[in-house]
Short mmCIF file of all heavy atoms in Angstrom, two decimals:
data_model
loop_
_atom_site.label_atom_id
_atom_site.label_comp_id
_atom_site.label_asym_id
_atom_site.label_seq_id
_atom_site.Cartn_x
_atom_site.Cartn_y
_atom_site.Cartn_z
N ALA A 160 -2.90 -6.92 2.33
CA ALA A 160 -2.03 -7.41 3.42
C ALA A 160 -1.25 -6.20 4.03
O ALA A 160 -1.10 -6.06 5.23
CB ALA A 160 -1.07 -8.40 2.90
N LEU A 161 -0.72 -5.34 3.18
CA LEU A 161 0.04 -4.17 3.65
C LEU A 161 -0.83 -3.21 4.41
O LEU A 161 -0.43 -2.70 5.47
CB LEU A 161 0.76 -3.53 2.49
CG LEU A 161 2.05 -4.22 2.07
CD1 LEU A 161 2.60 -3.56 0.76
CD2 LEU A 161 3.11 -4.15 3.15
N PHE A 162 -1.93 -2.88 3.91
CA PHE A 162 -2.83 -1.94 4.62
C PHE A 162 -3.30 -2.51 5.91
O PHE A 162 -3.42 -1.81 6.90
CB PHE A 162 -3.99 -1.49 3.72
CG PHE A 162 -3.65 -0.45 2.71
CD1 PHE A 162 -3.86 -0.60 1.37
CD2 PHE A 162 -3.06 0.72 3.18
CE1 PHE A 162 -3.57 0.40 0.47
CE2 PHE A 162 -2.75 1.75 2.29
CZ PHE A 162 -3.02 1.53 0.91
N ALA A 163 -3.56 -3.81 6.00
CA ALA A 163 -3.93 -4.44 7.25
C ALA A 163 -2.82 -4.34 8.27
O ALA A 163 -3.03 -4.01 9.44
CB ALA A 163 -4.39 -5.87 7.03
N TYR A 164 -1.59 -4.57 7.83
CA TYR A 164 -0.42 -4.45 8.69
C TYR A 164 -0.28 -3.04 9.22
O TYR A 164 -0.03 -2.79 10.37
CB TYR A 164 0.83 -4.96 7.99
CG TYR A 164 2.02 -4.85 8.89
CD1 TYR A 164 2.26 -5.88 9.85
CD2 TYR A 164 2.90 -3.80 8.81
CE1 TYR A 164 3.33 -5.79 10.66
CE2 TYR A 164 3.99 -3.74 9.64
CZ TYR A 164 4.21 -4.70 10.57
OH TYR A 164 5.27 -4.67 11.38
N VAL A 165 -0.35 -2.07 8.31
CA VAL A 165 -0.16 -0.65 8.71
C VAL A 165 -1.31 -0.22 9.66
O VAL A 165 -1.07 0.42 10.69
CB VAL A 165 -0.12 0.26 7.43
CG1 VAL A 165 -0.20 1.75 7.86
CG2 VAL A 165 1.16 0.01 6.66
N ALA A 166 -2.50 -0.70 9.41
CA ALA A 166 -3.66 -0.39 10.30
C ALA A 166 -3.41 -0.96 11.66
O ALA A 166 -3.62 -0.32 12.67
CB ALA A 166 -4.98 -0.85 9.66
N SER A 167 -2.92 -2.22 11.71
CA SER A 167 -2.68 -2.82 13.03
C SER A 167 -1.53 -2.12 13.76
O SER A 167 -1.56 -1.94 14.97
CB SER A 167 -2.39 -4.31 12.91
OG SER A 167 -1.12 -4.52 12.30
N ALA A 168 -0.52 -1.63 13.01
CA ALA A 168 0.53 -0.85 13.69
C ALA A 168 0.05 0.47 14.20
O ALA A 168 0.47 0.94 15.28
CB ALA A 168 1.66 -0.65 12.64
N LEU A 169 -0.90 1.12 13.47
CA LEU A 169 -1.47 2.38 14.00
C LEU A 169 -2.25 2.14 15.25
O LEU A 169 -2.19 2.92 16.18
CB LEU A 169 -2.36 3.01 12.89
CG LEU A 169 -1.59 3.68 11.79
CD1 LEU A 169 -2.53 4.17 10.66
CD2 LEU A 169 -0.76 4.88 12.27
N VAL A 170 -3.03 1.04 15.27
CA VAL A 170 -3.80 0.71 16.51
C VAL A 170 -2.82 0.44 17.65
O VAL A 170 -3.08 0.89 18.76
CB VAL A 170 -4.72 -0.52 16.25
CG1 VAL A 170 -5.28 -1.07 17.52
CG2 VAL A 170 -5.77 -0.17 15.26
N GLU A 171 -1.72 -0.23 17.35
CA GLU A 171 -0.71 -0.49 18.41
C GLU A 171 -0.14 0.84 18.89
O GLU A 171 0.06 1.02 20.07
CB GLU A 171 0.39 -1.37 17.90
CG GLU A 171 1.40 -1.75 18.95
CD GLU A 171 2.52 -2.64 18.43
OE1 GLU A 171 2.45 -3.04 17.26
OE2 GLU A 171 3.46 -2.83 19.18
N LEU A 172 0.12 1.72 17.97
CA LEU A 172 0.67 3.10 18.37
C LEU A 172 -0.33 3.77 19.37
O LEU A 172 0.09 4.32 20.34
CB LEU A 172 0.79 3.99 17.12
CG LEU A 172 2.03 3.96 16.36
CD1 LEU A 172 1.92 4.75 15.09
CD2 LEU A 172 3.16 4.50 17.18
N ILE A 173 -1.59 3.72 19.02
CA ILE A 173 -2.59 4.36 19.85
C ILE A 173 -2.72 3.66 21.19
O ILE A 173 -2.72 4.30 22.24
CB ILE A 173 -3.94 4.46 19.11
CG1 ILE A 173 -3.79 5.35 17.92
CG2 ILE A 173 -5.04 4.91 20.05
CD1 ILE A 173 -4.97 5.31 16.95
N ALA A 174 -2.78 2.35 21.17
CA ALA A 174 -2.98 1.55 22.38
C ALA A 174 -1.79 1.69 23.34
O ALA A 174 -2.01 1.71 24.53
CB ALA A 174 -3.18 0.10 22.00
N ARG A 175 -0.65 1.78 22.81
CA ARG A 175 0.58 1.89 23.70
C ARG A 175 0.85 3.33 24.10
O ARG A 175 1.74 3.56 24.88
CB ARG A 175 1.79 1.28 23.03
CG ARG A 175 1.71 -0.22 22.85
CD ARG A 175 3.00 -0.73 22.27
NE ARG A 175 2.91 -2.17 22.06
CZ ARG A 175 3.34 -3.09 22.96
NH1 ARG A 175 3.76 -2.66 24.10
NH2 ARG A 175 3.24 -4.36 22.69
N GLY A 176 0.14 4.22 23.49
CA GLY A 176 0.36 5.66 23.86
C GLY A 176 1.56 6.23 23.27
O GLY A 176 2.03 7.33 23.71
N VAL A 177 2.11 5.64 22.25
CA VAL A 177 3.33 6.14 21.61
C VAL A 177 3.06 7.47 20.94
O VAL A 177 3.88 8.38 20.99
CB VAL A 177 3.90 5.12 20.60
CG1 VAL A 177 5.06 5.69 19.82
CG2 VAL A 177 4.26 3.84 21.32
N LEU A 178 1.92 7.65 20.35
CA LEU A 178 1.62 8.90 19.68
C LEU A 178 1.51 10.05 20.71
O LEU A 178 2.04 11.14 20.50
CB LEU A 178 0.30 8.87 18.94
CG LEU A 178 0.34 8.09 17.62
CD1 LEU A 178 -1.07 7.99 16.94
CD2 LEU A 178 1.32 8.68 16.65
N GLY A 179 0.92 9.79 21.87
CA GLY A 179 0.84 10.78 22.91
C GLY A 179 2.20 11.22 23.42
O GLY A 179 2.51 12.34 23.67
N ASP A 180 3.09 10.19 23.58
CA ASP A 180 4.44 10.45 24.06
C ASP A 180 5.22 11.26 23.00
O ASP A 180 6.01 12.11 23.44
CB ASP A 180 5.22 9.10 24.31
CG ASP A 180 4.62 8.34 25.47
OD1 ASP A 180 3.89 8.92 26.29
OD2 ASP A 180 4.94 7.13 25.55
N ALA A 181 4.96 11.03 21.80
CA ALA A 181 5.66 11.81 20.75
C ALA A 181 5.30 13.28 20.73
O ALA A 181 6.12 14.14 20.37
CB ALA A 181 5.45 11.21 19.35
#
Side-chain angles (χ1 to χ4, degrees):
L161 281 172
F162 279 125
Y164 181 79
V165 170
S167 70
L169 284 173
V170 169
E171 183 181 353
L172 271 171
I173 293 166
R175 291 184 183 269
V177 175
L178 285 178
D180 293 343

